[in-house]
Amino acid sequence: MTKTVHPLPPVPERPEPPAFRDAMAQVVSAVHVVTTLGPHGRTGLTATAIASVSDAPPTVLACIARTSRTLAAIEASGFFCINTLAGDDAELAAIFASRRGIHGEARFATARWGELATGAPVLLDAVAAFDCRLVSAQDIASHRLLIGEVVGLGGTGQGGGLIYRRRHFGAV
């Protein structure tokens, strides 16, 4: 099926980045830790720009800053795991968001980790975990959009999740 999309009229002025960030701070997002096993060991980061793409085959997307060391490790390994955090995991989210001064392998000492099909670190107490093979990457402004085919699932499926809104973590 072909659909014709009509272009919108030009925008007279784009919103300034601080105004855009303030508006996006009103949007509730689930919180995840994205991990991989790179050339220098396990690495990961906190992310909220995660979404389902398809269920056949199971596919997800993650948007990660192009300057991220974790992104470089994901691209070197070709795999990653999206770990959806539980409502009481705000401290873990802060650690992987570089808010606690804990870096590298020391981050992984703060929770229970295992692995699934790819070997990427999976949080054993995650609400859900999506073990992915990287199938596509595209630069969009300051970030890289990663598309991953899900090759393994994990997580407890129990309890509420951790959200991010107004620049604060909260439980649902």
Side-chain angles (χ1 to χ4, degrees), residues 18-156:
F20 176 74
R21 287 191 300 272
D22 287 346
M24 287 303 299
Q26 302 308 310
V27 177
V28 175
S29 299
V31 181
H32 316 269
V33 170
V34 179
T35 59
T36 194
L37 181 61
H40 303 291
R42 297 185 294 182
T43 187
L45 55 79
T46 299
T48 57
I50 305 292
S52 167
V53 175
S54 174
D55 66 353
T59 308
V60 294
L61 67 81
C63 296
I64 300 177
R66 292 189 335 209
T67 57
S68 168
R69 288 185 299 243
T70 297
L71 173 62
I74 289 170
E75 291 180 323
S77 70
F79 56 82
F80 60 97
C81 187
I82 297 170
N83 299 278
T84 304
L85 298 184
D88 60 356
D89 281 335
E91 185 62 19
L92 187 62
I95 289 167
F96 277 87
S98 299
R99 294 182 180 178
R100 298 293 186 260
I102 301 172
H103 303 285
E105 187 62 31
R107 290 177 170 184
F108 291 90
T110 63
R112 298 179 334 117
W113 297 90
E115 60 183 54
L116 295 171
T118 67
V122 61
L123 180 62
L124 297 176
D125 298 317
V127 173
F130 305 89
D131 194 25
C132 303
R133 181 177 61 85
L134 180 63
V135 295
S136 178
Q138 180 178 350
D139 288 349
I140 306 289
S142 61
H143 283 61
R144 186 156 297 145
L145 179 93
L146 303 180
I147 304 293
E149 181 180 359
V150 178
V151 297
L153 296 170
T156 66

